[in-house]
Amino acid sequence: MDINELKNNWNSMSIPPDYHAGVTDDILSRVERGRVTTLRDRLGNISRMLSQICCVGVLLMIPYLHESPTLGILAIAFFIFMGVMHFRAYRRVSRLAFSEMTVREAILTVANIDRDRIRLRAIGMALALPLAIYMCFTFSEVFGDYYLYGCIAGAVVGLGIGLFINRRAVNIIREMRAQLNPEQ
């Protein structure tokens, strides 16, 4: 086949009637703007966001050091510990390079990330529950009953947010596993 035949074949090709260029244009524009994120990036962003929330928690507890130093120190220590652990998880996820790993290594790495996430969640709940109870009773004792109601409402809202974030992380890890091992 020579070049003239290729030109003729190319010119004789027809575009199917159901082809919509607008759909691919939207996808291409999102890729060009950098608005397409990988599962790895989305999972890393969850850990980064949680570490930033812990930093805000430290800043929010500083004013309470004057009223209840024990509560302030315990809460600040909790937020620092959890912030460091979430930042460590973020760094670990952001350094993943699936293209440089075998499929077996990638599956094991995703399993390790999931295991560490479950451990961190368990440690966080084990430390946060007594701290939240102590915080509610201390605030109600120092500031009045309305603070107790606010603490309980905050705990319920925080639990809902935590469950939503956990569901997102579980779905991302499940999708990573499905992409790495399509037989399951």
Side-chain angles (χ1 to χ4, degrees):
M1 188 175 273
D2 66 345
I3 191 76
N4 288 328
E5 269 183 60
L6 284 172
K7 282 183 191 178
N8 290 335
N9 286 341
W10 179 260
N11 289 331
S12 67
M13 293 175 87
S14 62
I15 297 174
D18 60 345
Y19 174 76
H20 300 290
V23 173
T24 57
D25 289 343
D26 179 48
I27 293 171
L28 288 174
S29 67
R30 284 181 45 203
V31 169
E32 288 172 354
R33 289 181 298 187
R35 301 293 296 179
V36 177
T37 58
T38 63
L39 293 173
R40 183 198 70 177
D41 293 339
R42 289 176 29 205
L43 187 62
N45 286 340
I46 289 173
S47 293
R48 189 189 72 218
M49 176 192 62
L50 290 172
S51 67
Q52 291 171 346
I53 289 172
C54 288
C55 291
V56 171
V58 168
L59 295 175
L60 289 175
M61 290 310 296
I62 290 174
Y64 295 107
L65 281 170
H66 178 59
E67 296 295 330
S68 177
T70 306
L71 174 65
I73 291 169
L74 288 174
I76 289 172
F78 168 77
F79 284 124
I80 288 173
F81 174 74
M82 292 304 291
V84 167
M85 296 305 288
H86 282 297
F87 187 73
R88 186 176 155 256
Y90 163 70
R91 295 288 299 160
R92 185 174 180 194
V93 170
S94 66
R95 281 191 242 139
L96 284 178
F98 288 124
S99 61
E100 298 173 3
M101 297 177 172
T102 65
V103 175
R104 180 179 168 85
E105 290 172 343
I107 291 171
L108 289 174
T109 302
V110 170
N112 289 339
I113 289 171
D114 190 30
R115 184 195 67 226
D116 291 345
R117 187 191 61 78
I118 290 170
R119 284 182 184 166
L120 181 60
R121 186 180 72 198
I123 291 169
M125 288 188 305
L127 293 175
L129 185 62
L131 179 65
I133 292 170
Y134 180 62
M135 189 180 291
C136 287
F137 287 119
T138 303
F139 282 164
S140 66
E141 183 180 307
V142 173
F143 299 111
D145 289 337
Y146 290 117
Y147 267 77
L148 176 64
Y149 305 139
C151 283
I152 292 171
V156 169
V157 170
L159 178 66
I161 292 170
L163 290 173
F164 175 74
I165 291 171
N166 182 55
R167 193 181 100 234
R168 280 183 51 204
V170 166
N171 288 339
I172 290 171
I173 289 175
R174 187 178 298 138
E175 195 172 338
M176 283 175 136
R177 283 185 173 161
Q179 287 179 0
L180 290 171
N181 194 5
E183 296 166 359
Q184 286 183 338

